[in-house]
């Protein structure tokens, strides 16, 4: 049956459909990976010192104009932690949509971060891989650059303020290279919030 002007099923005029919000130029989605369980001090929340260090890195990435997924921040540093059957799919969806992975391995190397890096290599995501000087990095992690683009950083004093700044700068450079390689199929701004990325609203590069 054909639609009439009074019929609620009337087709919209061509070109009148809502258009996806454009993705900001020179902006990437950054998946920020770091240890979680080993940084928890009271059985629930991330230790305050480590929270400050990770937040310094997260804000440095936002200051460069990117959207950042970080489970620590999303789960209120442990106070609003998700059960495994929820956090794993949430993290994996965010990994699928990211442009670059910024990973701090921790000391000892975090098993959770290693799993996320496995996802990243499978999906051919560019990775900035940072670890403390003297950390034992497995051959599997050392060989990730055989599968995807990897920038490796050794942090002499761990993830202090200088280390966070160096990691953010390296991630920004890799993000620029990723943009030069071509647009991601996920580059629609409407996906940012549902995927639990925090957009860099009001921040400039």
């Amino acid at each position: 049956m054909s639609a009439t002007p009074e019929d609620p099923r009337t087709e919209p005029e061509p070109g009148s459909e809502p258009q996806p919000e454009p993705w900001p130029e020179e902006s990437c989605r950054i998946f920020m990976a770091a240890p979680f369980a080993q940084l928890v001090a009271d059985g629930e929340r991330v230790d305050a010192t480590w929270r400050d260090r990770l937040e310094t890195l997260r804000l440095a990435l936002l200051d460069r104009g990117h959207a950042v997924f970080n489970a620590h921040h999303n789960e209120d540093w442990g106070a609003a932690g998700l059960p495994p059957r929820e956090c794993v799919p949430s993290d994996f969806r965010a990994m699928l949509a990211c442009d670059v992975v910024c990973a701090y391995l921790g000391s000892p190397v975090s098993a959770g971060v290693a799993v996320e890096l496995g996802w990243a290599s499978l999906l051919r995501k560019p990775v900035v891989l940072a670890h403390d000087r003297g950390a034992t990095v497995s051959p599997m992690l050392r060989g990730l650059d055989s599968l995807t683009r990897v920038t490796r950083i050794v942090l002499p004093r761990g993830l202090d303020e200088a280390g966070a700044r160096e990691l953010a700068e390296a991630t920004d450079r890799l993000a620029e290279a990723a943009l030069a390689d071509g647009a991601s199929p996920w580059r629609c701004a409407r996906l940012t919030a549902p995927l639990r990325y925090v957009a860099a609203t009001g921040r400039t590069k």
Side-chain angles (χ1 to χ4, degrees):
M1 182 173 63
S2 61
T4 67
E6 293 77 22
D7 194 326
R9 295 170 294 175
T10 300
E11 294 294 328
E13 292 294 325
S16 65
E17 299 88 350
Q19 298 300 309
E21 183 180 349
W23 184 256
E25 292 184 6
E26 298 186 359
S27 178
C28 281
R29 287 198 182 94
I30 308 297
F31 185 105
M32 179 179 151
F36 207 129
Q38 67 179 250
L39 306 183
V40 173
D42 58 4
E44 182 176 292
R45 289 180 178 270
V46 173
D47 172 79
T49 299
W50 274 106
R51 173 174 176 167
D52 289 344
R53 293 177 180 179
L54 294 174
E55 186 69 350
T56 296
L57 174 58
R58 192 181 75 88
L59 293 177
L61 294 170
L62 287 173
D63 282 338
R64 285 161 171 79
H66 304 302
V68 180
F69 177 92
N70 176 238
H72 307 71
H73 175 268
N74 291 348
E75 298 177 29
D76 194 18
W77 305 96
L82 297 174
R85 288 186 175 274
E86 293 181 26
C87 70
V88 172
S90 174
D91 289 6
F92 186 68
R93 284 192 296 269
M95 179 65 74
L96 283 170
C98 80
D99 296 292
V100 174
V101 177
C102 171
Y104 171 65
L105 289 180
S107 187
V109 172
S110 164
V113 175
V115 168
E116 291 168 341
L117 289 171
W119 295 343
S121 63
L122 174 67
L123 297 167
R124 301 296 196 269
K125 300 292 185 179
V127 174
V128 177
L129 180 61
H131 60 83
D132 298 347
R133 177 173 291 169
T136 301
V137 180
S138 71
M140 292 290 284
L141 291 177
R142 294 200 304 270
L144 285 181
D145 60 356
S146 65
L147 300 176
T148 192
R149 182 184 299 176
V150 177
T151 299
R152 184 174 172 184
I153 296 175
V154 179
L155 303 174
R157 295 176 300 279
L159 194 65
D160 58 3
E161 185 174 351
R165 185 169 57 251
E166 181 181 2
L167 185 48
E169 290 171 353
T171 302
D172 194 45
R173 289 193 297 270
L174 194 54
E176 290 181 1
L179 286 176
D181 287 343
S184 163
W186 294 84
R187 296 182 69 76
C188 170
R190 290 184 180 182
L191 291 173
T192 296
L195 289 167
R196 304 198 74 191
Y197 276 84
V198 175
T201 304
R203 295 178 179 270
T204 57
K205 188 172 177 180

